[in-house]
Amino acid sequence: MMKDFGPTVLIFLCVFNTICDTVDKSKFKICDQSGFCKRQRHIADGSSNFDVNLKSGRTFKDYAVFDIVNKDNGHKFLLEVHTYMDGTFRVLMNEESPLHPRYQVEHALLPDLKKASMEFESVGNGESWTLAHTGMRDKFYVQIFASPMKLDFYSGGKKVAVFNGRNSLKYEHLRNKPDVNDEPKEDGGEETPQEPSMWEEQFSSHSDSKPRGPESIGVDIDFPLTQNLYGIPEHADDFRLKDTSGREPFRLYNLDVFEYELDSPMTLYGSIPYMMAHSPERTVGVLWVNAAETWIDVKTGGSGIVDSIVNLVGGSEDKEGRTRWMSESGIIDAFFFLGPSPLDVFKQYAKVTGVTPLPQMWAIGSHQCRWNYNDEEDVRGVDANFDSHDIPYDSIWLDIEHTDGKKYFTWDSHKFPHPVEMIQNISSKGRKMVTIIDPHIKRDGGYFLHEDALANDLYVKDKNGKVYEGWCWPGSSSYLDFFDPKVREYWASRFALDKYPSTLDLYTWNDMNEPSVFNGPEVTMPKDMMHYGGWEHRQVHNMYGLMQVMSTFEGQLQRSENQLRPFILTRAHFIGSQRYSAVWTGDNMANWEHLKASIPMCLSLSISGMSHCGADIGGFFQNPDAELMLRWYQAAAFQPFMRNHAHIETKRREPWLFGDRTTALIRSAVRRRYALLPYWYTLFYENEQTGVAPMRPLWAHYPTDAKTFGIQDAHLIGESLLVHPVTDKGATSINVYLPHGVWYDFYNYIKYEGGTHTLTVNDDTIPVFQRAGSIIPTKQRIRRASSLMKDDPYTLFVAIDEKGEAHGTLYIDDQQTFEYRTGSYLKVDLTYKNNKLSSKVVHSGPSFNSKEWIERVVILGANKKARDVKAVSKSVGSVALESEGEHPLVIRKPAVLVNEDWEIDLHF
Ligand SMILES: *[C@@H]1O[C@H](CO)[C@@H](O)[C@H](O)[C@H]1NC(C)=O
């Protein structure tokens, strides 16, 4: 039978054809080609007609329920408003009695969310109600208006978010398919005229049967205080969201977009329907819990600059950011996180969606990948070359060619005849390996996975109940239905070491999990395929990758009997994927614009929970020259996930292949990464505690500084380092904006005041600044992998502020197990004050003993020589120390231990 193999052919043609180095847009829908988006997008403000019957209000301890009617057709709905801990509201709206159940997202949110009790009050003559967290009305409340329905959210007395304030709610209730012979009814039963696309839709050669007909939802959500909106990854676009007037809306529909373009609202591999609205006064977050195809219109009056000119000229006071959210199916389920600060919102969001668990230390080191390392000898050679070039790295990765004919969980017996020995060889160097394991399963009679899947009914089915077949890397493939608990259990069991020839030092990369289907509509699975529970793919599409990584995570837990922290890299992602996986920005390109784009893309992902984020170093497609490769390494050394990866048709790009000078400079960049691992690790620990990602926009810590709101060429790591990597070809200088306060260049110690500075840069410059007032823990004895640095001593960088103070934290544990969860870790608070640096153990685990010592302290901002310096601790007693210099003032070998309280006194 002939099949449409169009996309496959295109991929192979494009590899050799530079003309097609931009995305083929005809493969992907614009809003007008998506029936529901077209119906939803052109709804005029004020055109809908939903009323809340406030008299129907039923109130419970932590929620209230109201009846709603669509006055255009009499259709009835229910509105629920719930209160959660820490100033969070949730709005749910569903049909009172839908013809079929409508999908409500499962698995993405944390189970057992902590609710908060609610107080309520009917206002005026019953035109509105207010609901508030008990005793906190001065902080957070929502006011519900009856006619037309509208919800105003208040934080600290300020209106910060409005639901349906423009009265554009369109909620297509489920209905029976009209008989073809029926006359169009004028019974007021339909709020939308019948359109052909409601019951069947065509796109290119694909037809989507829509058994349930129209069921889309759409509503406006506005932010009265601000037009600075962020989030809704994944898009290759500005960090601060652009206005979509005259442009396509932002689309969220997980797709394998080949050679994606920049500055585009086109969808990519992941969808996190979460937005932050930030103003100097207040920050809020909105989470739209929906796994179906979603489009979002944004009105911010243009870029910030145009906006302020317009305001100046026109005297417009309009500061409101307007959005409209449109999903193909599901229910309205929206969380409102009311801040008030950015850090508060990060934490509120994390309480609902979860956090990235602390990775093993090696996972935040440098990773080396390629499509493909060809065989065992290749792996040996690459590994040995890292050592002979003295460049640290922590793991080597194998792409799809390592398998026997793209059958995952197998090895090519010619190229990789000794996988266990190979992994052991790598791990004997203190390193790990990672293999790719995709969700498409080769339909091959002798393949155990395929046979098990057929025998036990593990595959996604088509609408007639037949196993769905699509085309992917192995050729004809079927797709496991990870929504089925027995599939997740089966998949998890396949990671057992007696089933998958491997060791506990082999970890996992889940790619192509949008899912990618080369011959499917828009390169994915048709929407009318069927999943466990009777749901159509349409309702759950954006969660498919989440369900896969959830199951892989479970597999890695099981094989180590819950001892070792899993590591998974995913391409597709959704709300909650951070609980299981790191993420990278997919198949980017070897050019300067893509290097620049890695920052806004990872910032958007970081504020949306996916905090272990990176981009392929060098760009996946095409060949970077030495300068681009170097600058990319320098930027990536300061991003959370750091991996060199490339397409099979590119030239080799291991770090020593760009000439001696470049090799030396890449080595220098990677060594800077390794020096800072103690700081990154502490930040990842804090991320697990609080939900605040290590990589942050400047406004996270400078919320009132409007100059930071549009910045996307620089970012913070924690609160204390600001990074502005060089991302321009041939750059000899760079303009860096530093927020108010004092900053020190982290590498040459030059002092800067807040403001914009033009700095000269050379090829070894990575502009990184330490905030005065901070203490940063580092290790300066760089070895070939992070595990070999475990017991090495620390060097502390102390940058004193104008009050003569500085603060920092250091977190240490065994770097790989879950024992820290039961208290086996060490946490110390570091303080500089009154010419005294002191360390206080705030937690020391019962069975965890850390014997590292402090080998050096570098003090910035003292600006005088110390006359004498003395260390005091239990282990050293009281000893005089050597010091030298005044800026920096370096104290050598204090020899105090990290696991004891100590002090270093300076006399000037
Ligand atoms: C493992 O290392 C040993 C010693 O260097 C070598 O002889 C052997 O070929 C290696 N095995 C693999 C599979 O790379």
Side-chain angles (χ1 to χ4, degrees):
M1 222 172 66
M2 283 300 290
K3 286 223 169 91
D4 170 17
F5 297 149
T8 323
V9 174
L10 176 79
I11 284 165
F12 292 115
L13 286 179
C14 283
V15 168
F16 302 103
N17 184 349
T18 48
I19 291 170
C20 49
D21 62 2
T22 51
V23 65
D24 178 0
K25 286 195 185 162
S26 71
K27 292 261 175 275
F28 303 103
K29 289 181 184 177
I30 58 170
C31 177
D32 272 357
Q33 291 167 322
S34 178
F36 85 90
C37 189
K38 192 175 175 186
R39 296 197 298 278
Q40 283 282 355
R41 195 181 192 193
H42 303 293
I43 299 292
D45 289 351
S47 65
S48 89
N49 221 343
F50 288 82
D51 272 9
V52 186
N53 178 356
L54 286 175
K55 291 203 186 69
S56 72
R58 284 142 276 168
T59 54
F60 303 90
K61 188 166 149 282
D62 47 24
Y63 72 107
V65 185
F66 301 89
D67 295 337
I68 300 183
V69 64
N70 180 351
K71 289 204 297 188
D72 284 339
N73 56 22
H75 202 79
K76 288 187 180 141
F77 296 83
L78 291 176
L79 174 76
E80 291 179 20
V81 180
H82 295 250
T83 35
Y84 293 84
M85 290 299 278
D86 306 307
T88 295
F89 285 95
R90 182 183 196 175
V91 174
L92 289 152
M93 182 178 165
N94 197 355
E95 295 180 54
E96 185 184 270
S97 41
L99 196 56
H100 325 280
R102 298 183 69 116
Y103 185 70
Q104 180 167 3
V105 169
E106 296 179 285
H107 305 295
L109 307 182
L110 287 174
D112 308 321
L113 298 178
K114 287 222 175 58
K115 301 206 67 180
S117 68
M118 176 186 275
E119 63 186 34
F120 41 85
E121 186 186 343
S122 169
V123 182
N125 213 354
E127 304 91 55
S128 78
W129 271 43
T130 62
L131 306 176
H133 292 69
T134 304
M136 291 172 79
R137 199 180 179 289
D138 54 331
K139 285 201 178 134
F140 313 112
Y141 71 95
V142 54
Q143 187 166 13
I144 305 177
F145 294 88
S147 183
M149 166 182 172
K150 174 170 93 119
L151 282 74
D152 286 347
F153 292 87
Y154 286 83
S155 166
K158 289 205 153 58
K159 199 198 293 183
V160 291
V162 181
F163 176 91
N164 200 37
R166 285 182 279 128
N167 200 18
S168 74
L169 173 65
K170 178 177 172 64
Y171 205 125
E172 292 177 333
H173 63 264
L174 292 165
R175 63 203 75 190
N176 288 311
K177 189 171 182 177
D179 198 308
V180 273
N181 300 319
D182 283 358
E183 291 289 306
K185 275 188 270 178
E186 283 303 331
D187 63 352
E190 303 306 331
E191 74 278 41
T192 338
Q194 285 293 328
E195 281 179 27
S197 71
M198 283 179 167
W199 295 93
E200 176 154 31
E201 197 171 335
Q202 297 291 322
F203 180 66
S204 92
S205 61
H206 299 278
S207 161
D208 175 15
S209 74
K210 299 190 175 190
R212 291 160 48 126
E215 52 176 325
S216 74
I217 52 178
V219 69
D220 54 274
I221 298 175
D222 294 342
F223 304 98
L225 292 183
T226 185
Q227 300 184 326
N228 296 300
L229 308 180
Y230 306 86
I232 55 171
E234 183 178 38
H235 299 99
D237 206 355
D238 285 356
F239 177 46
R240 181 166 56 184
L241 299 173
K242 284 184 189 143
D243 194 301
T244 56
S245 315
R247 193 183 191 224
E248 286 293 298
F250 288 100
R251 189 183 188 200
L252 292 175
Y253 190 58
N254 294 1
L255 292 178
D256 181 358
V257 180
F258 183 75
E259 301 199 321
Y260 64 81
E261 66 176 8
L262 302 178
D263 300 316
S264 168
M266 272 181 82
T267 198
L268 286 175
Y269 313 96
S271 297
I272 306 183
Y274 172 63
M275 188 181 281
M276 286 182 78
H278 173 71
S279 75
E281 304 157 89
R282 302 270 141 184
T283 308
V284 295
V286 172
L287 176 66
W288 178 261
V289 188
N290 192 297
E293 179 181 347
T294 295
W295 299 74
I296 302 152
D297 260 320
V298 171
K299 303 252 177 299
T300 56
S303 75
I305 297 161
V306 174
D307 187 38
S308 54
I309 292 169
V310 169
N311 283 349
L312 239 115
V313 174
S316 158
E317 287 295 302
D318 187 9
K319 288 199 297 189
E320 183 163 66
R322 303 193 179 104
T323 65
R324 192 157 183 286
W325 302 64
M326 305 166 270
S327 291
E328 181 173 17
S329 66
I331 62 167
I332 288 180
D333 181 354
F335 282 84
F336 291 80
F337 306 107
L338 299 188
S341 76
L343 297 182
D344 293 325
V345 176
F346 296 149
K347 291 173 190 172
Q348 289 156 352
Y349 175 70
K351 288 216 164 124
V352 170
T353 65
V355 294
T356 302
L358 175 62
Q360 292 195 36
M361 179 65 92
W362 71 270
I364 58 174
S366 175
H367 303 269
Q368 184 64 34
C369 187
R370 175 170 183 85
W371 178 20
N372 216 87
Y373 287 122
N374 300 324
D375 51 26
E376 290 175 357
E377 193 187 335
D378 200 3
V379 169
R380 263 197 315 277
V382 170
D383 180 67
N385 260 314
F386 272 96
D387 292 340
S388 60
H389 291 95
D390 192 23
I391 299 173
Y393 90 109
D394 264 82
S395 74
I396 182 160
W397 296 43
L398 299 177
D399 208 320
I400 52 176
E401 313 299 333
H402 80 276
T403 57
D404 172 15
K406 318 291 187 310
K407 291 181 282 198
Y408 303 106
F409 296 101
T410 72
W411 297 88
D412 182 310
S413 62
H414 298 288
K415 301 177 193 156
F416 296 94
H418 317 102
V420 170
E421 184 186 303
M422 172 181 67
I423 299 164
Q424 282 167 346
N425 278 0
I426 295 294
S427 52
S428 73
K429 304 272 218 47
R431 298 179 175 132
K432 310 289 179 191
M433 289 196 74
V434 178
T435 49
I436 197 165
I437 299 197
D438 290 349
H440 51 259
I441 304 303
K442 184 170 186 167
R443 297 184 56 83
D444 179 315
Y447 181 24
F448 60 85
L449 236 163
H450 178 57
E451 292 189 340
D452 288 353
L454 288 182
N456 300 310
D457 190 21
L458 308 181
Y459 282 138
V460 175
K461 309 270 193 20
D462 70 14
K463 58 177 188 278
N464 302 314
K466 269 186 56 203
V467 169
Y468 169 65
E469 280 182 59
W471 196 258
C472 206
W473 296 127
S476 180
S477 303
S478 287
Y479 291 73
L480 291 172
D481 184 5
F482 291 100
F483 290 87
D484 184 342
K486 79 170 181 290
V487 174
R488 295 201 298 277
E489 207 176 294
Y490 170 78
W491 178 263
S493 76
R494 296 310 316 182
F495 289 87
L497 300 184
D498 59 349
K499 294 214 176 65
Y500 182 25
S502 58
T503 80
L504 289 174
D505 290 312
L506 182 72
Y507 289 85
T508 310
W509 173 17
N510 286 154
D511 193 5
M512 308 293 279
N513 50 355
E514 294 74 26
S516 178
V517 182
F518 294 156
N519 62 338
E522 302 193 273
V523 204
T524 193
M525 188 176 283
K527 286 176 171 169
D528 49 5
M529 299 300 101
M530 297 302 295
H531 290 278
Y532 174 78
W535 298 108
E536 280 184 273
H537 189 65
R538 176 185 333 279
Q539 281 114 29
V540 298
H541 171 85
N542 285 344
M543 292 177 66
Y544 185 83
L546 167 68
M547 301 312 289
Q548 188 201 17
V549 295
M550 184 185 284
S551 173
T552 302
F553 190 89
E554 181 59 31
Q556 287 192 12
L557 284 179
Q558 283 176 14
R559 67 171 192 174
S560 81
E561 287 165 352
N562 300 313
Q563 295 302 301
L564 295 171
R565 302 173 214 164
F567 173 78
I568 303 160
L569 180 72
T570 186
R571 192 169 70 183
H573 48 274
F574 185 61
I575 304 162
S577 295
Q578 68 268 20
R579 304 200 299 273
Y580 311 104
S581 58
V583 68
W584 94 110
T585 60
D587 299 347
N588 61 353
M589 283 196 232
N591 62 48
W592 292 89
E593 288 65 40
H594 272 269
L595 166 57
K596 287 189 183 31
S598 67
I599 302 172
M601 289 180 80
C602 278
L603 280 173
S604 298
L605 283 159
S606 285
I607 65 164
S608 307
M610 296 300 290
S611 51
H612 198 183
C613 173
D616 284 349
I617 295 175
F620 179 69
F621 292 112
Q622 303 177 339
N623 296 304
D625 63 12
E627 185 187 3
L628 177 60
M629 197 65 191
L630 169 62
R631 291 305 190 192
W632 210 311
Y633 257 105
Q634 291 174 340
F638 293 87
Q639 293 174 4
F641 176 69
M642 179 182 183
R643 185 183 72 151
N644 177 340
H645 179 50
H647 189 277
I648 195 164
E649 298 295 338
T650 59
K651 291 187 203 139
R652 284 285 178 136
R653 65 167 69 154
E654 288 75 42
W656 50 87
L657 295 176
F658 297 85
D660 288 350
R661 169 101 189 133
T662 306
T663 304
L665 296 170
I666 291 177
R667 178 186 305 122
S668 151
V670 178
R671 289 172 65 91
R672 292 185 216 192
R673 168 64 164 220
Y674 278 73
L676 278 167
L677 285 177
Y679 181 60
W680 277 106
Y681 197 66
T682 300
L683 289 171
F684 269 104
Y685 173 75
E686 290 173 353
N687 176 51
E688 179 177 308
Q689 304 303 304
T690 63
V692 184
M695 180 174 181
R696 301 172 196 171
L698 273 59
W699 51 258
H701 291 287
Y702 300 90
T704 59
D705 181 352
K707 286 206 184 75
T708 66
F709 298 169
I711 288 181
Q712 58 179 357
D713 50 7
H715 60 91
L716 297 170
I717 303 173
E719 192 180 352
S720 305
L721 286 182
L722 186 151
V723 187
H724 187 130
V726 178
T727 56
D728 282 307
K729 186 175 175 56
T732 53
S733 70
I734 190 170
N735 288 321
V736 176
Y737 178 73
L738 299 171
H740 69 85
V742 170
W743 298 82
Y744 293 97
D745 186 305
F746 196 56
Y747 297 109
N748 65 21
Y749 312 130
I750 293 173
K751 179 182 179 182
Y752 296 94
E753 304 280 343
T756 301
H757 301 273
T758 302
L759 311 180
T760 305
V761 297
N762 63 31
D763 54 6
D764 195 26
T765 308
I766 313 177
V768 178
F769 305 88
Q770 181 178 358
R771 181 180 55 83
S774 66
I775 301 176
I776 293 187
T778 72
K779 288 191 174 183
Q780 300 291 332
R781 304 183 187 195
I782 310 301
R783 300 181 195 272
R784 58 176 195 248
S786 65
S787 60
L788 307 174
M789 295 164 61
K790 188 164 177 291
D791 301 324
D792 283 342
Y794 289 89
T795 294
L796 303 177
F797 285 79
V798 180
I800 303 172
D801 66 13
E802 66 280 9
K803 296 190 298 255
E805 293 183 17
H807 301 273
T809 306
L810 173 61
Y811 170 83
I812 306 171
D813 64 17
D814 67 18
Q815 307 192 349
Q816 52 185 343
T817 76
F818 280 110
E819 296 205 352
Y820 73 100
R821 295 258 175 101
T822 50
S824 290
Y825 66 89
L826 178 72
K827 193 173 164 213
V828 303
D829 275 355
L830 300 158
T831 305
Y832 186 94
K833 200 174 179 175
N834 303 327
N835 301 333
K836 188 188 288 179
L837 176 63
S838 57
S839 177
K840 195 156 176 34
V841 172
V842 289
H843 179 93
S844 177
S847 60
F848 178 72
N849 206 356
S850 188
K851 297 211 173 54
E852 298 92 79
W853 52 289
I854 309 293
E855 70 172 337
R856 200 180 316 150
V857 175
V858 179
I859 297 176
L860 308 172
N863 299 318
K864 21 186 200 235
K865 281 197 161 56
R867 261 196 298 121
D868 52 59
V869 181
K870 158 179 105 188
V872 184
S873 86
K874 210 163 171 185
S875 71
V876 301
S878 176
V879 289
L881 301 177
E882 275 175 51
S883 74
E884 62 180 46
E886 47 191 67
H887 186 76
L889 192 170
V890 178
I891 301 168
R892 298 207 184 277
K893 293 209 176 64
V896 287
L897 301 176
V898 289
N899 68 1
E900 62 179 349
D901 290 348
W902 51 261
E903 270 178 26
I904 295 175
D905 298 319
L906 293 88
H907 294 272
F908 293 102

